Amino acid sequence: MMIRKKIVSLICVLALILSVTGCARTPEVPASSSGVPASSSEVPASSEVPASDKAEPRIVLLMQGALNDAGWNATAYAGLLEVQKKYGFDVKYREGIDQSEIEEVIYSYINEGYNFIIGHGSQFYDTITKVALAYPDLTFVNTSVTVGQEPNVTAVNIDNFAQGFLAGCIAGLVTEKNAVAVIGGQESPPIIASVNGFLAGAKYANPDVKTFSTYTGSYVDSAKMKETAKAFINNGVDVLFANAGQSGLGCIEACDENGAIAIGSNTDQNEFAPDTVINSVIKDGKVMMTDVVEKYLQGTLKPEFMNLSVAEGAVYLSPWHGFEEKVPKEIIEKLENIQKQMANGTIKMEDYQ
């Protein structure tokens, strides 16, 4: 009888151990050629964010452009990696999505079990708002748009006008010929806002400066961008800013070859022409991505518009990379002060739009 009792007790202990062990969870590691590599040692840092009843997000980032564009897509990808590093979540990305296949791609990831869909760019808006209605329990985030949709589409934007405004201030202050230009890619709302911001910022910093602007109609045609920039330079412009995705590198190349100054866009682009890119106006995808994910985890992410700007640390000037030895100290101090005033609300973007 004693032996039987010991056996029963032993079975109960083993069952308890197995039940506790079965509750432990190992972070998933994406095993797809389109996924972002993860480390099985990365444990979700859930203690950093108050818990909610939301399911753990399985996140997919969808992009029409290339993640190595050194611009807007690159900064979103950096944000995705930051989320993966910080929380250990299952994340994937897909780049180079054609407009005609957006809906098919979204459904494919939904069928794979992804519950947090990010469409990077205003081109995704019509399809995301359509698909989201059929999946009210999933979360959809669309960047570069200004309107969310009940019950589950959040619009998030890094302030394009503020980015352009800062770039314009740089141009207006460093130009020697008193002529500056901005070149946009496709004439879409976020690019238009950036172009308009540049024109306003240049005039704010230098009321006498002559400003020029145009659009190439492409995010990938670097050759056309280069020719457009060269034409401006030949007509007396000595400082240029391009916001046009991957094609914007063509503007930097034209400036480098023709003795003009370039201002980088979205990421720190000084590495592409260290003697030419005087500064870059960063749009920080890490800030954007972590902000929406943290709000999701807190249960405070809403189907509304979120605009992240200088105050949130999403828009800011890059380092000067040695140009502080060439640019007058008073200009650098003035630009730093403009950035501070934009952050604290002394300079309000709505006053210039």
Side-chain angles (χ1 to χ4, degrees):
M1 180 68 96
M2 289 295 293
I3 293 174
R4 180 179 295 177
K5 287 183 177 180
K6 288 182 179 180
I7 292 173
V8 171
S9 298
L10 181 59
I11 291 172
C12 290
V13 172
L14 288 172
L16 180 60
I17 292 171
L18 289 171
S19 66
V20 173
T21 304
C23 292
R25 178 172 50 83
T26 302
E28 295 181 359
V29 181
S32 166
S33 59
S34 64
V36 177
S39 169
S40 60
S41 65
E42 291 172 346
V43 179
S46 56
S47 60
E48 297 185 19
V49 180
S52 76
D53 58 356
K54 289 287 187 181
E56 180 174 299
R58 299 186 67 206
I59 305 170
V60 60
L61 170 66
L62 307 177
M63 300 171 284
Q64 281 201 313
L67 64 86
N68 62 350
D69 65 355
W72 181 225
N73 289 295
T75 193
Y77 177 63
L80 184 72
L81 291 179
E82 181 70 11
V83 167
Q84 199 281 327
K85 177 182 178 182
K86 189 172 184 178
Y87 298 109
F89 293 150
D90 176 8
V91 300
K92 281 188 178 179
Y93 72 89
R94 181 157 170 181
E95 59 184 324
I97 302 172
D98 188 81
Q99 188 76 29
S100 63
E101 61 180 349
I102 289 177
E103 186 169 353
E104 177 186 348
V105 169
I106 292 176
Y107 279 125
S108 72
Y109 283 107
I110 291 174
N111 290 335
E112 285 185 36
Y114 285 84
N115 59 4
F116 198 108
I117 316 295
I118 303 173
H120 189 53
S122 57
Q123 305 92 329
F124 289 89
Y125 184 75
D126 289 343
T127 305
I128 277 183
T129 51
K130 172 187 172 183
V131 174
L133 292 174
Y135 292 90
D137 295 330
L138 303 186
T139 298
F140 295 83
V141 174
N142 200 172
T143 69
S144 299
V145 296
T146 58
V147 181
Q149 175 180 279
E150 294 281 357
N152 58 339
V153 179
T154 298
V156 61
N157 181 58
I158 298 182
D159 198 331
N160 300 286
F161 189 90
Q163 178 203 29
F165 190 90
L166 265 178
C169 287
I170 296 171
L173 290 172
V174 304
T175 179
E176 295 181 354
K177 295 183 177 181
N178 230 25
V180 301
V182 55
I183 308 172
Q186 291 183 10
E187 204 164 346
S188 61
I191 300 301
I192 292 171
S194 182
V195 168
N196 290 341
F198 177 93
L199 300 174
K203 286 291 186 181
Y204 173 85
N206 180 358
D208 298 323
V209 73
K210 295 179 181 178
T211 59
F212 303 90
S213 65
T214 192
Y215 300 87
T216 64
S218 172
Y219 293 130
V220 296
D221 193 342
S222 296
K224 186 175 182 180
M225 172 61 70
K226 183 177 179 179
E227 288 304 311
T228 303
K230 186 177 179 180
F232 276 131
I233 296 169
N234 289 340
N235 281 284
V237 169
D238 65 344
V239 185
L240 293 94
F241 172 67
N243 195 347
Q246 187 174 0
S247 70
L249 297 179
C251 177
I252 293 175
E253 189 174 351
C255 291
D256 195 42
E257 293 177 0
N258 294 276
I261 293 173
I263 300 169
S265 175
N266 299 323
T267 63
D268 188 342
Q269 296 183 324
N270 176 265
E271 63 178 302
F272 297 103
D275 296 325
T276 298
V277 180
I278 191 170
N279 202 296
S280 300
V281 185
I282 309 296
K283 288 172 63 176
D284 198 329
K286 293 181 180 180
V287 173
M288 177 177 66
M289 292 292 188
T290 55
D291 191 61
V292 295
V293 170
E294 286 179 0
K295 282 183 169 59
Y296 173 89
L297 296 174
Q298 293 166 354
T300 59
L301 187 65
K302 298 178 181 179
E304 61 186 15
F305 172 53
M306 295 167 50
N307 191 46
L308 306 177
S309 193
V310 181
E312 291 77 23
V315 178
Y316 53 88
L317 298 175
S318 75
W320 287 92
H321 297 294
F323 275 97
E324 60 268 31
E325 304 298 325
K326 305 173 185 178
V327 177
K329 183 178 179 181
E330 58 268 25
I331 289 180
I332 292 178
E333 290 178 347
K334 186 168 185 177
L335 285 166
E336 290 174 348
N337 190 48
I338 288 171
Q339 182 172 269
K340 290 177 183 178
Q341 290 180 316
M342 291 172 68
N344 64 29
T346 303
I347 298 177
K348 302 180 187 299
M349 291 297 93
E350 57 266 30
D351 292 340
Y352 300 93
Q353 295 184 49

